[in-house]
Amino acid sequence: MKLALREKGKLRFVDGACTKSRYRGELVEQWEKCNAIVLSWIGSTVSNQLMPRIVYASDARKVWNDFQEIFDRSNLTRIYYLWSEIAMMRQGTDSVTNYYTKMKDLWDELDVLAPISCCDCEESRPSIKHLKSQRVLQFLMGLNESYGNVRSNILARRPVFTINEAYVIVPQEENRRTLSVVDIQRDPLTMLARRTQGFKPKGIGLICEHCGYKGHLKENCYKIIGYPPDFKSKKKTR
């Protein structure tokens, strides 16, 4: 919401920098118009149960503060849920990209609820480095066992990979395996085996015009050219 308001040049209406008392004359009417626009934008993003707080409000700043007081709090229950989802997440049938995207969404939400220090001082660097290493481990733990060699190589690397560096390596391995499967499918022996599996014995689909039986043509019909000595009838005897 802040990004949308900043894009429209209206963020100051909710952060307290643009108040009605600062304007006189015709500018007051202009302020009322902009304030109503901001209220309508906020109203279009909240649930219907919260609309009464906006419909009868006269100041976007007050509505913003009201919502901030109610919802902008660190929720331990939600943090617990996010940590549980991250710990239990596994790649399964997902591609590496889909798996990483799901985990990154959880990390991003966790960073909002429990933000890490943005300080670049010497004292904060070890804790930030430890957090980044944790996320590399979380990503590697959820990968399928088929990526065991890649996981071992990343863990053995010094200095330790960042999460982005680790992520780039795994899809490369995934693409290499996909190309290997394609090469195997193009192998001449594999193609010959497939053709053999699809081979149909000679005679299937043929119908004799003389006797009406399937499996041969008129010029090969035994009733015309004669039966061979070892011929055995397929008809069941009573």
Side-chain angles (χ1 to χ4, degrees), residues 12-13 16-25 27-32 35 58-59 61-62:
R12 301 178 64 189
F13 280 83
C18 184
T19 58
K20 184 178 179 180
S21 59
R22 297 181 56 182
Y23 302 96
R24 297 288 185 274
L27 293 179
V28 175
E29 180 62 26
Q30 186 67 21
W31 184 93
E32 291 283 2
N35 179 72
S58 59
D59 193 333
R61 166 70 174 169
K62 293 180 180 179

Side-chain angles (χ1 to χ4, degrees), residues 136-137 140 148-161:
V136 174
L137 296 177
L140 296 178
N149 292 334
V150 179
R151 184 189 297 111
S152 299
N153 293 335
I154 293 175
L155 292 174
R157 172 66 182 270
R158 294 293 182 274
V160 179
F161 276 131

Side-chain angles (χ1 to χ4, degrees), residues 90-94 140-148 151:
R90 296 294 182 268
Q91 179 187 351
T93 57
D94 288 336
L140 296 178
M141 286 172 59
L143 289 174
N144 292 338
E145 289 302 321
S146 58
Y147 293 98
R151 184 189 297 111

Side-chain angles (χ1 to χ4, degrees), residues 110-163:
L110 188 61
D111 288 340
V112 173
L113 295 176
I116 61 176
S117 174
C118 297
C119 180
D120 194 32
C121 62
E122 192 68 27
E123 291 78 8
S124 300
R125 290 175 185 173
S127 60
I128 297 175
K129 182 179 179 181
H130 176 67
L131 176 62
K132 292 181 179 180
S133 300
Q134 276 187 330
R135 295 193 171 175
V136 174
L137 296 177
Q138 291 167 352
F139 170 68
L140 296 178
M141 286 172 59
L143 289 174
N144 292 338
E145 289 302 321
S146 58
Y147 293 98
N149 292 334
V150 179
R151 184 189 297 111
S152 299
N153 293 335
I154 293 175
L155 292 174
R157 172 66 182 270
R158 294 293 182 274
V160 179
F161 276 131
T162 64
I163 183 60

Side-chain angles (χ1 to χ4, degrees), residues 60-198:
R61 166 70 174 169
K62 293 180 180 179
V63 172
W64 185 271
N65 289 341
D66 188 21
F67 286 162
Q68 187 174 28
E69 183 179 355
I70 297 173
F71 300 110
D72 191 15
R73 295 181 297 178
S74 179
N75 190 330
L76 289 180
T77 303
R78 184 62 180 174
I79 293 176
Y80 174 83
Y81 169 79
L82 293 174
W83 271 107
S84 300
E85 287 293 304
I86 292 172
M88 294 186 296
M89 181 171 288
R90 296 294 182 268
Q91 179 187 351
T93 57
D94 288 336
S95 66
V96 175
T97 300
N98 291 340
Y99 160 67
Y100 175 75
T101 301
K102 291 178 181 179
M103 182 162 282
K104 190 175 186 306
D105 289 342
L106 297 175
W107 286 335
D108 292 342
E109 185 177 353
L110 188 61
D111 288 340
V112 173
L113 295 176
I116 61 176
S117 174
C118 297
C119 180
D120 194 32
C121 62
E122 192 68 27
E123 291 78 8
S124 300
R125 290 175 185 173
S127 60
I128 297 175
K129 182 179 179 181
H130 176 67
L131 176 62
K132 292 181 179 180
S133 300
Q134 276 187 330
R135 295 193 171 175
V136 174
L137 296 177
Q138 291 167 352
F139 170 68
L140 296 178
M141 286 172 59
L143 289 174
N144 292 338
E145 289 302 321
S146 58
Y147 293 98
N149 292 334
V150 179
R151 184 189 297 111
S152 299
N153 293 335
I154 293 175
L155 292 174
R157 172 66 182 270
R158 294 293 182 274
V160 179
F161 276 131
T162 64
I163 183 60
N164 289 334
E165 291 172 338
Y167 165 68
V168 169
I169 292 176
V170 183
Q172 290 178 352
E173 175 65 16
E174 185 180 44
N175 293 335
R176 186 190 67 79
R177 294 181 183 181
T178 303
L179 292 176
S180 299
V181 172
V182 173
D183 291 339
I184 292 176
Q185 292 176 346
R186 291 178 179 176
D187 182 75
L189 294 178
T190 305
M191 296 175 67
L192 178 61
R194 288 184 176 179
R195 291 176 182 175
T196 304
Q197 292 175 358

